[in-house]
Amino acid sequence: MHVTDLRVEHRNVGDTLGIGAARPRLSWRTDTDASNWNQAAYAITAIDAATDEVVWSSGEVSSANSYLVAWGGPALASRTRIRWQVRVLGSDELDATSEWSEFELGLLDDTDWVANWIVADAIEPADPTQPVASLRREFAAPDDIVDARLHVSALGVYEVEINGTRVGDHVLAPGWTTYDHRVRVETHDVTDLVQAGTNAIGVTLADGWFGERFGVGPAEPERLYGDEGAVIAQLELVDAAGRRHTVSTDETWRSARSAVISSGIYAGETYDARAERPGWSQPGHDERDWNGVHRLDRGTETLIARVGPAIRRTEEIAPVAITTSSSGRTIVDFGQNLTGWIRLRVDGAEGTTITLRHAEILQDGELWTENLGRATATDRLTLRGDGPIEWEPRFTFHGFRYAEIDGWPGEVCTDDVRAIVVHSDLHRTGWFSCSHDQINQLHANVVWGMRGNFLDVPTDCPQRAERLGWTGDINVFAPTASFLFDVDGFLASWLVDLAADQRDDGFVPHVVPDIGVNPLPCAVWGDAAVVVPWVMYERFGDLDVLAQQYPSMRAWVEYLIDLAGPRRHWSRGFQYGDWVDPASPPEKPWAARTDPHLVSQAAFCHSLDLVARTAELLGHTDDVARFRGIAVEAREVFAREYVTPNGRLASDAQTAYALAICWDLLADDAQRANAGRRLAFLVFSEGFCIGTGFVGTPIVCDALCATGNADVAYALLEQTESPSWLAPLALGATTIWERWDSLRPDGTPNPGSMNSFNHYALGAIADWLHRTVAGLAPGAPGYRTLDVTVRPGGSITSASAEHDTPYGRAAVRWTLDAGHLDVEVVVPPNTTATVRLVDEAPVEVGSGTHHWAIPAP
Ligand code: BGC
C-alpha cells in the first residue's frame, strides 16, 4: 500500500509554488491491491520548511475523505514553505505513510507587494497596430543567494527572461480573467537563473486578451479593458542569512519596442529578426535608445494566485502533406484541427518575409478563411539573413488544420514546420474505446475539441474573432469535460469570474469574462451559473465549489423568480433556445423545432431543483423550502402549458421530450412512458437522424434509454447520414463542428456566417458514451460509488472506459464473445460500485478488480 499523488488545492503534482490559500486543502490517493479497501483514518503532519517546526498535526482523524481535505492548522502566511506527509490507516488496520511533499504560498495580501504596475513609454497607448514592448532593468545580487522567487503578472500577455534565459515554460500568461476583479500571478523559482553581481531581467509584453477588441457585432469594437498594458514583477532574493532583497517593477525600468513588431490574439503576430536587440535581457546591454516607463495608477488588490493549470505547449505535430494549390500556393496539412501555432525552421536572405495564414478547411485546394471574421490569423517572420532560425509566435494563437506559407525561400520540407498544440495543461483523466471505429473517431474528435477550447477560458471556438467563454456551451459540455480531464480547478476559477461578472440583480452574462454581448437573460446560458458548480460536485465531490458559488447560484434563480413573476412562467423575451437545431436556417440558429419558452421553463425548473439540493447540502434550510416550493409551482406551469395528459409535448420535437424526461417534468410513469415512446417515434420517423441542438443533444440518448428505447438511442448514435454525430467523419472531421452540417454533404461549407469546425458543444454526447455505452458513471459525488451498468447495444461488441477518479483509476471493460458477456470492473481503493449487468439484480462490490461472465443477452 502506497500513499501517493500528494496535491495541494487544485494544482497538479509538481505545480506547488505560489499557492493562494492561507488554509490550503490537501489531497492524496492510496494505491493498494487489497480488496474492499477503505480509508479508515488519516493523520497529516505539516512542517514549516524554514524552521522545521510542526505547524499542524491533525492527529488521527476518522474519515474516508482524501480529496480537498480542509486545512486544520493555523492560517499560513505569504511565502511559507510547507513540508507535509500523510499517514493513512486502512479498513484492514494496516497503515502507510506517504513521502514528504512540499508546497509554498505566494503573496496573499496586497501589502506584500512593493512592486508597481508599469507601462512602457516606448508604446503609444491604444496603438491599433498592437505593438509589443520589451521592458528591462539590471540589478545587483549578493554572493550568497539561497533562494529566489519571481512573482509576476501583467495586463496583457508576457514572457520573462533573466540573464538571457526564459523563465518557466508557461505561454500566454497570465491568461484571461475578469481583469477588473482578478489578475493571476505566477510564482517561479528562479534561484538557478540569478547570479552573484550584476543581473538583468527583461519582460516582453503584448496585448493578449487585455488589449483585444472583442465584440460580435458588425462595428469595429473598442478595447474593453483600457489602453495601457502593464507589467508587475517582484523578484525576491533570499541570502544565506535569511535576508530578503527585493527587485521590483518601478520607474527605474526602461522600455523599447520588441522585435515582435505586433501581436494580437485575433490578428496574429509579426516578427522581424532584424529588429532583435541581442543581449537585451542580459547585463551590460546598451540602453541608450531605450525609453522610460511610467506607473499605472492601479493597486495590487486584484492580484490572485493561479488556481487551475497554466497554459503550455502540449504536443508537436508534423505535417501529413505539403502541396501546391492550383493558384501556386504552398499548403501544409497537419492532419488535425487544433489550437496553437506553427514553429518554423528556415534560412534565407536578409529581409525575406515568410507569411503564414491559417484555416480549418480547404475549398478547391485553397485555404478557406471566410469563417474567421475579423480574425486575420496571420503570422509573419522577416529574416536577418545570418543563418537558420527556429521561430514561433508567442502571444497569439490560431485554430487551424491547414496553413498557407508564402515567401518561403526554396521549398518547404516536412522537417521545417511543426504545429504546436497549446492549451491549459489539464491532467488527462478519461478514456473510452469500443469496437466501432467511427465512434472511436467521434470520441477522439471530442477530446480534440476540448483541447482546442480549454485555453484558460472554456471557449466556444478557437479560430474566429470570437473565442469567448460562452456560458451555454460549457453548461452542456461540463459533464464530458469532467470525465476527460481534471477540470475542477480550471472551472472553479472560471466560476469565480462568472460570479464577479454577474450583475447585481443576478443576471448572468452570456460570455465570461463578460464582453457585454447581450443584456437579455437567456436560459441554459445563464443557467451555467447553477449547473457547472453542480457538475463539479457530482464529478469531483467538490462541495467547496458549491459553497463558493452558492451566492451566485442563488442570485441567478432569484433573478429568474422575479422574471417569471407570480405565474411562475418564464415565457417571455429573447432566448437562444435549442441553438443550432439541424432544422434551423443558416442565419437563424435560434429558430429550432422546440419552443424556446418550453426550454426556458424547463431550465427554470431544473435550476430551482439544483439550487434547492445545493441549499440542502450546505444547510441553508430556509432556501431549501423556498426553492422547492417554487419548483413545484414551476413544474405545474410546465405541465399545464406544455404537456398533454397523455404525455405529448407542445413542441413535438426531440429536445422537448428529452428535457421533459431527463429533468423530471412529467407527472407519472404513464406520461413518461408515452413521452419516451413519442420521442422514439420522432427519431424513427426522422430516419434516426439527430433533431437536437445544444440543449437536447447531451440528453437525447439518456432520455431514450431511460424510457426503454435504448435500441433507438444506438440507432441514432450509429447513424452516418447527415445530420448525425458520425456524418462529419466521412467529410474528414477531426474535431466537433459548430453545426451538424458545418460542411454540407457535397463538401461545401454551411453558408451561415457563424461556422466553426471546432466547437465542443455537440460533442457533449461523449458523456453518454462513457456512462452508458461503456457503463461507467458516478453513483455518488466524486465517484465514491461507481454506478456501473453494462447493457450492450447497437452493433457494438466491446467497450471500455477508464477514469482517474479522485480516489484512483476506475475502469469498466466489456466484450461480447461467443455467446458470453465478459465484464471487468476496476473499483478504486476507498470506493465501492453498484454493478448492474443487463437484466441481473444489482450487486455491490468493494475496491479491487472484478470479473463476470454471463450468457450474452
Ligand atoms: C457561439 C456559440 C454560442 C452562441 C450563443 C455563438 O456565436 O459560437 O457557441 O453559444 O453564439 O448563442
Side-chain angles (χ1 to χ4, degrees), residues 470 510 517-518 522-523 525 574-580 589-592 596:
W470 282 96
H510 299 193
V517 281
N518 185 333
C522 183
W525 275 252
F574 167 83
Q575 294 294 338
Y576 293 127
D578 192 24
W579 188 254
V580 300
W590 60 86

Side-chain angles (χ1 to χ4, degrees), residues 257-593:
R257 288 185 62 146
S258 161
V260 181
I261 304 300
S262 68
S263 191
I265 297 280
Y266 294 157
E269 192 156 307
T270 299
Y271 173 77
D272 189 340
R274 296 168 306 178
E276 196 60 75
R277 300 164 186 271
W280 75 275
S281 66
Q282 289 170 345
H285 181 71
D286 182 354
E287 282 183 347
R288 267 173 308 181
D289 65 341
W290 284 61
N291 297 338
V293 301
H294 63 271
R295 275 164 66 161
L296 183 71
D297 184 17
R298 178 181 175 120
T300 51
E301 59 288 340
T302 52
L303 292 172
I304 50 139
R306 171 168 57 77
V307 174
I311 309 166
R312 285 201 177 82
R313 301 171 182 89
T314 60
E315 193 176 340
E316 294 182 15
I317 295 188
V320 294
I322 302 179
T323 50
T324 305
S325 71
S326 50
S327 69
R329 292 162 206 268
T330 302
I331 306 284
V332 184
D333 176 3
F334 291 97
Q336 175 61 54
N337 195 353
L338 58 91
T339 300
W341 53 69
I342 292 172
R343 180 187 294 156
L344 306 177
R345 209 175 47 212
V346 60
D347 194 5
E350 183 194 338
T352 307
T353 295
I354 297 146
T355 304
L356 294 170
R357 296 199 310 128
H358 304 78
E360 295 182 289
I361 61 162
L362 303 179
Q363 286 289 284
D364 301 324
E366 306 284 351
L367 224 57
W368 188 79
T369 57
E370 279 171 38
N371 62 341
L372 300 186
R374 289 182 299 111
T376 42
T378 303
D379 296 335
R380 286 186 195 84
L381 158 68
T382 300
L383 303 178
R384 195 162 56 200
D386 57 355
I389 76 163
E390 197 170 88
W391 176 83
E392 62 194 282
R394 293 146 69 195
F395 305 110
T396 185
F397 63 90
H398 312 295
F400 65 102
R401 167 175 170 170
Y402 301 94
E404 178 190 289
I405 304 190
D406 190 39
W408 189 278
E411 202 176 310
V412 184
C413 298
T414 306
D415 284 349
D416 299 332
V417 281
R418 286 290 176 274
I420 308 296
V421 180
V422 175
H423 50 81
S424 291
D425 196 6
L426 299 163
H427 190 62
R428 180 86 191 257
T429 53
W431 299 267
F432 168 86
S433 76
C434 70
S435 57
H436 193 305
D437 290 344
Q438 285 169 298
I439 295 172
N440 291 338
Q441 179 66 44
L442 168 71
H443 193 266
N445 292 2
V446 173
V447 174
W448 272 106
M450 175 162 177
R451 293 177 70 185
N453 284 295
F454 273 65
L455 204 161
D456 215 52
V457 163
T459 56
D460 56 337
C461 60
Q463 73 298 84
R464 66 173 175 242
E466 202 161 340
R467 315 185 194 184
L468 303 172
W470 282 96
T471 45
D473 304 41
I474 189 60
N475 179 340
V476 302
F477 192 69
T480 297
S482 310
F483 182 88
L484 295 173
F485 289 87
D486 177 0
V487 293
D488 197 13
F490 177 101
L491 289 175
S493 176
W494 179 78
L495 285 166
V496 178
D497 287 312
L498 181 148
D501 271 343
Q502 196 167 3
R503 242 169 28 201
D504 288 346
D505 63 1
F507 168 81
V508 173
H510 299 193
V511 305
V512 173
D514 185 17
I515 65 153
V517 281
N518 185 333
L520 303 171
C522 183
V524 181
W525 275 252
D527 292 299
V530 172
V531 176
V532 177
W534 183 260
V535 172
M536 297 300 99
Y537 170 65
E538 187 179 69
R539 302 306 172 103
F540 298 98
D542 187 352
L543 192 59
D544 294 341
V545 81
L546 287 182
Q548 168 194 295
Q549 293 306 118
Y550 189 69
S552 153
M553 299 167 79
R554 186 179 189 283
W556 169 249
V557 291
E558 287 292 1
Y559 176 72
L560 296 186
I561 291 167
D562 261 7
L563 204 70
R567 288 182 54 240
R568 307 292 190 216
H569 192 189
W570 185 4
S571 61
R572 265 175 316 207
F574 167 83
Q575 294 294 338
Y576 293 127
D578 192 24
W579 188 254
V580 300
D581 174 324
S584 64
E587 291 302 352
K588 291 185 185 163
W590 60 86
R593 282 169 272 202

Side-chain angles (χ1 to χ4, degrees), residues 10 20 128 188 203-204 221 379 392 494 560 564 651 673 697 765:
H10 289 294
H188 295 279
V203 179
T204 311
D379 296 335
E392 62 194 282
W494 179 78
L560 296 186
S651 298
T697 297
I765 186 61

Side-chain angles (χ1 to χ4, degrees), residues 429-432 483 539 766-779 783 785-790 800-805 809-814 825-828 833:
T429 53
W431 299 267
F432 168 86
F483 182 88
R539 302 306 172 103
D767 190 49
W768 183 77
L769 298 179
H770 309 144
R771 287 184 290 102
T772 305
V773 176
L776 175 57
Y783 295 84
T785 305
L786 314 180
D787 188 347
V788 175
T789 307
V790 176
S800 76
E802 297 192 21
H803 179 61
D804 279 335
T805 73
R809 175 75 53 95
V812 177
R813 306 184 185 96
W814 61 260
V825 177
V826 180
V827 183

Side-chain angles (χ1 to χ4, degrees), residues 734-752:
T734 59
T735 36
I736 302 299
W737 298 343
E738 179 170 21
R739 298 169 183 261
W740 293 107
D741 62 347
S742 280
L743 269 191
R744 298 270 166 99
D746 65 1
T748 60
N750 181 306

